[in-house]
Amino acid sequence: MNIGAASKASGVSQRMIRHYEKIGLIPAPLRRDSGYRDYADTDVHRLRFIANARDLGFPIEDIRGLLGLWSNSQRASAEVKARAIARAEELGRKAEALQALRRTLLELAERCHGDDRPDCPIIERISGEGGTTGNM
């Protein structure tokens, strides 16, 4: 199938398919006599795997490792589980950091008068005039 059909079947954009091919996440497909890429059902299955892993928050290098585990019928599920737990912990740390940023923004917005006056704690904080540049 051509790249358009592979994109539709996998839910991965044509641009990302080319990118995944370029970085080696999917093998280069065979080419038709016309020079167009010719994707097989196995390529679409691999693209779906990549898309699902991305949806779960795995970065490219982790997906590379997961693809290796997926293709290894002798894999230990403990290794897959460990990778999932590590990723979940990283996502938890990021979620906590985002919550801290959200609280900071809401606190700054609460202190801002939001009227015609020029003084604004939000601008002061961003410019470094309002104290530290870290969390409040």
Side-chain angles (χ1 to χ4, degrees):
M1 73 187 78
N2 67 24
I3 194 168
S7 174
K8 187 172 184 175
S10 67
V12 176
S13 72
Q14 294 181 35
R15 183 177 140 283
M16 289 308 295
I17 292 173
R18 288 185 198 96
H19 175 68
Y20 293 153
E21 181 183 332
K22 182 179 177 182
I23 64 172
L25 277 186
I26 62 169
L30 298 173
R31 297 276 182 161
R32 297 179 182 176
D33 291 338
S34 62
Y36 289 108
R37 293 170 171 88
D38 191 18
Y39 293 91
D41 289 337
T42 55
D43 297 318
V44 171
H45 195 195
R46 188 174 182 97
L47 287 165
R48 282 190 196 127
F49 183 96
I50 294 166
N52 290 336
R54 293 290 288 173
D55 287 346
L56 288 171
F58 285 101
I60 294 296
E61 284 312 308
D62 287 356
I63 293 172
R64 195 179 303 281
L66 288 169
L67 283 166
L69 290 169
W70 181 46
S71 64
N72 177 2
S73 62
Q74 303 301 310
R75 71 180 168 267
S77 64
E79 187 174 348
V80 179
K81 181 178 179 176
R83 287 173 185 247
I85 290 170
R87 186 64 193 147
E89 289 171 353
E90 175 64 21
L91 290 171
R93 286 189 293 276
K94 288 182 177 187
E96 289 171 9
L98 286 171
Q99 282 297 329
L101 287 172
R102 181 179 182 273
R103 283 190 302 273
T104 298
L105 285 169
L106 290 173
E107 289 169 8
L108 289 168
E110 182 68 30
R111 292 184 8 227
C112 182
H113 294 289
D115 56 17
D116 293 338
R117 291 182 277 182
D119 57 314
C120 177
I122 301 165
I123 293 295
E124 290 169 6
R125 172 66 181 272
I126 293 170
S127 71
E129 297 170 15
T132 64
T133 57
N135 289 336
M136 293 189 78

